[in-house]
Structure formats: structure tokens, C-alpha cells
Amino acid sequence: MKEIIKPDPLISLREFTPARIAIGRTGTSIPLKQSLEFKLAHAHARDAVYSTLGTEDLAYSLKAFNLPVLHLHSNAINRSKYLKRPDLGRQLDEESAEQLKDYGTATDVVIIIADGLSATAVNENAHGLLQILIPTLLAAKFKLAPICLVGQGRVAIGDHIAHGLNAKFSILLIGERPGLSSADSMGAYLTYSPRPGLTDESRNCISNIRPQGLANKPAADKIFYLLNEAFKRKLSGVGLKDNAGLIQ
């Protein structure tokens, strides 16, 4: 008697997500095509973790904004140290800390770009987002600090940088932990009154900024909305909700 193969009820969901669902099977294994695709995605994720921040290209593209650009580095001297010692990626090295002392004038906002766990993400997405965001901030009369490019940086390093630059608010763009369908995902971490010692509940995060996720325009709009709300309420993090678009 011929086996009746029932269609997978999850197949219809594949048009809404790149997640690996309803991939079928061959015997007790997944089909060869899907197996090879998984291995390729895993290789892309590993490559993203070991990718390098394109500081020269980023610095060149940032010239259009007529803002100083600082090249900074964490205490993680290389990628191996960065991955094994997360604490070192949260601290500036001595040379970088000294650099900040030349820029002590109070500012409203500092924009920080760090490689994080996927330099690929910021190399591909940071400039496009800033092309929209920086003119919006300047039109709203926010005073901007120098833009900071940080090698081997983690999220909390933004607190040290913003505090050193005497900035009231920090926007940190960083490569997120690469997934098996999103090795190019960039996150934006927003902190009001940043200073060393803060923890993650003090920040707002906008995740998955990339062409196949949250596009540049809505991401810039969301950052600008939360920034304005943070200045009004003088806080960020769990106490600051994203109520944009809600009916009042």
C-alpha cells in the first residue's frame, strides 16, 4: 500500500520568516540541499564573528557629516582576547582614554560604532543609517560629539566613551551576535546619562537593523523618537517605553 505523505502544515509560514521550518526530511535526516544551506549559513556566522571593522572606509564615508572621527580601541588586544574575556571589550585602553581628554566640551549626543560580534553588520549598515539619522539630529539642534569608531568593543564600552566626552546621550551601533539567517544584523543601544557602571536595564535596544530586517528609515525614526523621549523624561532603559504610533 502506497504511503500517503501529508503536507507539512508549517510550510505556509515560510513566506513570513527565513527561519528553518518545514524543511522536510529524507529518511531520518534532513534533505541534502537544506543540510548544505545550514552549513553555509554556519560558515557565514563564523566569518561574521571574525570579521574586521572597516575603519578606513567608515571614516572616509563619515567625512560627509563634518564631524571629528575618533579611532578608539578596547582593552582586548585581539579577537581571541575579545571572545575569551568579555570584560576587556567593555573597557577602553589607555591610549583611547587619553584621546577623549582632548574633547571635554559638553555635548548632547555621541554616536559610537563598534564591531561587536559582527563587524560585517556595521560595515554594511552603519553609514546608511547615519545618512538619515545625523541630519535629523542636527535639524533638531542637538549638539553632536565626535563620532567614535571602536575596535574589539562591547556594548558597555559606550558608557566610558560617552562619559569621557561629557555627552548626555549615547547611540551605540554594534554588530549583533550572528544568527544562522542574519550574520549582518546591527543593533542600536541608547543610553541617557551614560557613565561607567551602568547595566543593560539602563539602555534601550533597537535590534536587527539590516535590509532584510528593520530598514534604515524606520530604525532612524525609532532612534530619534526614543532619544527625544529620553531627554523629556531624563531616563532610558526599562523605564522608557516605545509608545510611538499608539493612539493617545
Side-chain angles (χ1 to χ4, degrees):
M1 187 176 188
K2 188 176 180 180
E3 180 184 2
I4 299 175
I5 300 176
K6 297 181 179 179
D8 192 322
L10 297 178
I11 286 179
S12 62
L13 299 179
R14 292 175 63 179
E15 64 179 289
F16 302 108
T17 175
R20 286 174 173 76
I21 58 175
I23 60 175
R25 64 187 176 91
T26 301
T28 57
S29 301
I30 65 175
L32 177 60
K33 179 176 182 292
Q34 284 73 19
S35 176
L36 293 175
E37 288 174 347
F38 178 86
K39 291 178 180 178
L40 180 61
H42 186 260
H44 285 319
R46 286 181 59 86
D47 287 346
V49 169
Y50 286 95
S51 58
T52 304
L53 190 66
T55 51
E56 290 186 7
D57 289 341
L58 282 169
Y60 180 79
S61 66
L62 293 172
K63 285 183 178 179
F65 304 123
N66 295 315
L67 291 168
V69 177
L70 305 184
H71 295 263
L72 308 175
H73 204 281
S74 76
N75 264 330
I77 59 174
N78 54 44
R79 202 59 174 171
S80 177
K81 281 287 186 184
Y82 175 85
L83 295 173
K84 293 175 182 177
R85 291 283 306 275
D87 58 310
L88 297 180
R90 301 184 186 111
Q91 308 161 8
L92 281 174
D93 64 16
E94 290 185 14
E95 183 179 344
S96 298
E98 283 296 318
Q99 243 190 106
L100 300 185
K101 292 180 180 179
D102 295 330
Y103 299 89
T105 304
T107 55
D108 297 315
V109 181
V110 59
I111 295 171
I112 303 160
I113 303 172
D115 44 9
L117 288 169
S118 174
T120 297
V122 291
N123 291 340
E124 295 181 0
N125 299 306
H127 181 253
L129 174 67
L130 294 179
Q131 278 186 310
I132 302 169
L133 181 61
I134 289 180
T136 303
L137 294 174
L138 293 175
K141 306 301 182 184
F142 285 104
K143 185 177 181 181
L144 303 188
I147 299 174
C148 299
L149 303 179
V150 189
Q152 311 295 359
R154 292 186 181 267
V155 172
I157 202 168
D159 298 333
H160 294 265
I161 295 169
H163 185 71
L165 292 174
N166 200 14
K168 297 176 184 175
F169 191 89
S170 67
I171 300 171
L172 184 136
L173 306 179
I174 191 167
E176 297 183 308
R177 185 183 302 275
L180 291 176
S181 59
S182 56
D184 60 342
S185 179
M186 183 176 73
Y189 287 82
L190 316 177
T191 311
Y192 182 82
S193 188
R195 58 197 181 279
L198 294 182
T199 48
D200 286 343
E201 82 280 355
S202 301
R203 323 180 208 286
N204 293 85
C205 176
I206 300 169
S207 186
N208 199 30
I209 302 171
R210 63 191 185 104
Q212 293 77 29
L214 183 63
N216 288 329
K217 181 61 167 66
D221 290 344
K222 191 173 289 290
I223 291 171
F224 187 66
Y225 167 81
L226 288 171
L227 182 151
N228 278 288
E229 290 297 302
F231 273 87
K232 287 178 188 176
R233 303 171 187 270
K234 301 190 184 306
L235 56 81
S236 59
V238 295
L240 180 61
K241 306 302 181 186
D242 181 1
N243 294 322
L246 294 182
I247 298 174
Q248 300 297 319

